Amino acid sequence: MTVLPAPRRARVADTGERWLARRRWARAAWLYAFMLVMSFFFLGPFLMGVLSSFKDDPNEYPPRLIIPQLSAQYIGAAYDLGVQGGGGGWQGGLYPGRTVTFDVQVRSPGGTPPTPPAAALFPYQPVSLVSIARFAQARDFARLSLTPTGTSGDVRSYRVTVEYPALTQQAGRVVTGQLGAPGDRLTATLEDGRTVPLTLDTPEAQAVQYTLSQYQPVEVVERGGTYFLRGPIFERTPLQIDVQRGQAVVEGTLPPSDEQNFGRSLAYRNVTPGILGYTFNNYRRAFNETANPATGRSLFFTWMLNTFFYAFLRVAAAIVFCSLAGYALARLHFPGKTLIFLAFVLFAQMVPAQVNLVSNYVLLNDLGLLNLWGLWFNGLVAAAGVFLMKQFFEGMPRELEESAAIDGAGPFTTFWRVMLPQAGPALVALAITQFQGAWNDFFWPLVILRENTSFTLTVGLSNFRELYGGQGDYGLILAGAVLSAIPVIIVFVIFQRYFVDTGADSAVKG
């Protein structure tokens, strides 16, 4: 047998250690690469949905990862336009007595006549789940002009000016409100809830008396106790730019929301957007287009509150009933325990909920519980939650109960003061799963809930799909879906460590 010299043996050993280290790093790299690829497949659709929820046209192809709504340049421009419109840099809108300027640059290739583009305000009436009133349009009240501002090569710059004159020249305190019910005299409901008669002091104001619908947002001037109609308020100022054949719009204060006629007709859905009306337009629409104009309450906000309330009831019931049933099945001895576990826990999880659809619906209808309380009563005890708590209690040391019995504690005292405090990780896991299940529940809420004011988010979003999906307005649907996913993500991220954390084993000292 050949014996290597000591220096050579050291080099061989060192080479072997480096080879093993490279192998470990290679395995770790492959593992992380695999996790990154899988996270892309799992999170990719969600992240793409979040990104598309900001777009004016989420159906664009190919889809862009860098969009104008998240660009600092255009966000700043939207802020400035909202300030010019009078509604502020965040809310936006067009108010009486304001003038807004919007710049566009048109390229006219050599040989093409330098014909200026045509600019016009067009009507834009959003679809609403609640309101059927047709609100006033900016094009009926504002004046528009287009002037050239310069030339650079074959690119000519133009400025579109939107001027919205006030209906009254009276000076005084300016307040906002909405028009009251039609009657002999025009009235307005102010922000403080007072209803006041309006004085129409100019021919322009008198001309719009019968064209403004009820609940139209308006601005009025108060002077000496008399209120004068200053003009309606517009959340949107839609603008359309048309160029001649061969010309192209190369730049603008904001990019167009839509292009038609081979890029010669460009639509800007709002040139006074503010940040909320530009970057978060679809999210704002989710609340505004489900609002009842009579009360100002948003159905989407009501759906969120209903879902939180239903989820809270589900979590509270699961913590109480599932922990009690799980402990009884795991630790107590009574006749028929195995039969109860097989019939009411395992078998209940095997039977689809649709099998009991008719019988449960008839029962709840007879009890008058076709509402959130009936929805909660239908899933009062979760079989999966009982199974989870039973398995957890069976894995806890029996020395805890023996120590409690020596101290004279009964079964309920042992459960309440000894076992339940040690079941924190299982209770948190149970609460998370029940919250997620209640938040995403769709089948039973769709069957039981009748009134749109009692809908949960999942049922409300299905109405979004029916109303807006046929029009291809998927930005609003995606915005609602993202808003509905945020609470579940937050709850899971905060409490995820409790899924793997357990302190039961440390309760007994050896």
Side-chain angles (χ1 to χ4, degrees):
M1 185 173 100
T2 304
V3 179
L4 296 176
R8 188 175 179 184
R9 288 201 305 270
R11 287 196 299 270
V12 171
D14 185 56
T15 302
E17 290 179 1
R18 288 198 300 267
W19 181 82
L20 290 175
R22 285 196 298 268
R23 290 272 299 186
R24 286 194 295 268
W25 280 107
R27 290 177 180 176
W30 278 108
L31 177 62
Y32 278 104
F34 175 76
M35 293 174 64
L36 286 174
V37 171
M38 295 306 296
S39 65
F40 172 79
F41 280 106
F42 282 107
L43 294 178
F46 175 74
L47 295 178
M48 201 64 191
V50 172
L51 193 64
S52 299
S53 67
F54 294 100
K55 298 179 180 179
D56 285 329
D57 182 18
N59 302 319
E60 64 179 1
Y61 187 84
R64 291 179 295 173
L65 297 179
I66 301 176
I67 60 176
Q69 283 75 13
L70 300 179
S71 169
Q73 171 190 352
Y74 293 123
I75 292 176
Y79 183 92
D80 293 337
L81 290 170
V83 171
Q84 292 182 44
W90 285 95
Q91 293 289 343
L94 184 61
Y95 282 63
R98 294 286 181 160
T99 300
V100 180
T101 59
F102 189 87
D103 297 325
V104 293
Q105 296 178 1
V106 180
R107 175 181 288 115
S108 300
T112 304
T115 306
L121 297 175
F122 65 92
Y124 180 75
Q125 186 74 38
V127 179
S128 175
L129 285 174
V130 180
S131 175
I132 59 174
R134 312 299 291 183
F135 293 120
Q137 298 292 320
R139 71 165 186 173
D140 298 326
F141 293 85
R143 295 195 294 259
L144 187 144
S145 61
L146 185 142
T147 56
T149 57
T151 302
S152 177
D154 59 353
V155 176
R156 291 174 173 83
S157 300
Y158 298 90
R159 171 158 293 178
V160 180
T161 303
V162 180
E163 182 183 2
Y164 180 19
L167 298 181
T168 179
Q169 302 302 321
Q170 295 285 342
R173 183 172 64 96
V174 178
V175 294
T176 58
Q178 66 180 24
L179 290 185
D184 296 335
R185 299 194 63 184
L186 200 63
T187 62
T189 303
L190 305 182
E191 293 177 338
D192 56 8
R194 291 183 298 141
T195 299
V196 297
L198 292 179
T199 300
L200 308 177
D201 63 331
T202 62
E204 293 82 6
Q206 296 170 6
V208 302
Q209 176 179 2
Y210 301 104
T211 61
L212 296 180
S213 61
Q214 186 182 5
Y215 308 124
Q216 169 70 50
V218 294
E219 188 176 82
V220 296
V221 174
E222 185 270 332
R223 182 183 181 187
T226 303
Y227 292 86
F228 302 90
L229 178 63
R230 183 176 170 89
I233 298 172
F234 307 108
E235 183 181 289
R236 298 175 180 85
T237 310
L239 174 67
Q240 180 173 334
I241 301 293
D242 294 315
V243 296
Q244 300 297 319
R245 185 182 300 274
Q247 294 180 334
V249 176
V250 296
E251 189 60 62
T253 304
L254 292 177
S257 306
D258 189 24
E259 296 185 16
Q260 300 291 338
N261 197 17
F262 301 99
R264 298 202 303 272
S265 295
L266 290 83
Y268 302 85
R269 294 181 185 174
N270 193 0
V271 294
T272 56
I275 294 179
L276 291 180
Y278 184 66
T279 301
F280 301 99
N281 181 45
N282 289 323
Y283 291 90
R284 185 169 72 171
R285 290 177 58 205
F287 289 94
N288 289 355
E289 295 185 16
T290 59
N292 187 338
T295 61
R297 189 174 183 85
S298 172
L299 276 181
F300 192 88
F301 184 73
T302 302
W303 298 339
M304 293 189 70
L305 292 180
N306 292 341
T307 311
F308 270 114
F309 181 66
Y310 170 52
F312 172 77
L313 292 178
R314 280 276 298 268
V315 170
I319 290 177
V320 173
F321 295 112
C322 294
S323 60
L324 285 170
Y327 179 74
L329 293 174
R331 293 302 202 204
L332 302 184
H333 299 282
F334 52 90
K337 183 178 75 171
T338 303
L339 179 62
I340 292 175
F341 176 70
L342 293 176
F344 293 99
V345 178
L346 294 183
F347 184 73
Q349 296 182 72
M350 300 177 188
V351 178
Q354 290 81 355
V355 174
N356 303 319
L357 168 63
V358 176
S359 59
N360 287 357
Y361 179 83
V362 171
L363 175 61
L364 294 175
N365 185 42
D366 292 340
L367 295 175
L369 291 177
L370 295 182
N371 48 36
L372 285 175
W373 293 105
L375 185 63
W376 170 65
F377 181 75
N378 183 68
L380 190 62
V381 181
V386 175
F387 182 81
L388 172 67
M389 297 306 299
K390 174 182 179 297
Q391 296 302 109
F392 185 85
F393 283 125
E394 285 182 346
M396 295 182 68
R398 290 189 176 273
E399 289 82 353
L400 294 172
E401 297 170 287
E402 294 172 356
S403 299
I406 292 175
D407 293 336
F412 184 78
T413 303
T414 301
F415 164 76
W416 181 253
R417 295 200 171 185
V418 179
M419 304 298 285
L420 193 62
Q422 300 297 329
L427 291 176
V428 173
L430 175 64
I432 293 175
T433 54
Q434 289 299 307
F435 180 87
Q436 183 178 8
W439 191 269
N440 295 326
D441 195 6
F442 175 71
F443 175 72
W444 275 110
L446 181 65
V447 172
I448 294 177
L449 303 179
R450 303 286 90 191
E451 299 293 333
N452 59 9
T453 54
S454 64
F455 285 170
T456 58
L457 263 179
T458 52
V459 181
L461 289 177
S462 69
N463 289 346
F464 273 14
R465 180 184 58 81
E466 295 173 2
L467 186 62
Y468 297 97
Q471 302 177 1
D473 192 0
Y474 292 103
L476 181 62
I477 301 175
L478 289 172
V482 171
L483 288 173
S484 68
I486 289 176
V488 177
I489 295 175
I490 292 176
V491 169
F492 181 80
V493 169
I494 293 176
F495 298 103
Q496 63 174 334
R497 64 187 182 91
Y498 290 100
F499 278 105
V500 294
D501 182 31
T502 175
D505 293 338
S506 62
V508 179
K509 303 298 181 182

